[in-house]
Amino acid sequence: MLPGERLSGPVLRYLSDGLPAGMYPPDPADPALRTVRVTAEGT
């Protein structure tokens, strides 16, 4: 994930499928990706 990237279904599937395959996303707030921290745009 990059700052500003939208969390679409395909992006979430990529992340959830990647973890069991050994992918390690850098600096996640939740390393298991059970939760995702987001910021609302335009508020």
Side-chain angles (χ1 to χ4, degrees), residues 13-25 28 30-34:
R13 278 190 296 279
Y14 169 77
L15 292 172
S16 64
D17 290 348
L19 285 178
M23 178 183 78
Y24 181 75
D30 176 3
L33 297 181
R34 288 183 300 264

Side-chain angles (χ1 to χ4, degrees), residues 24-43:
Y24 181 75
D27 302 320
D30 176 3
L33 297 181
R34 288 183 300 264
T35 59
V36 179
R37 187 180 301 163
V38 298
T39 302
E41 184 177 350
T43 59

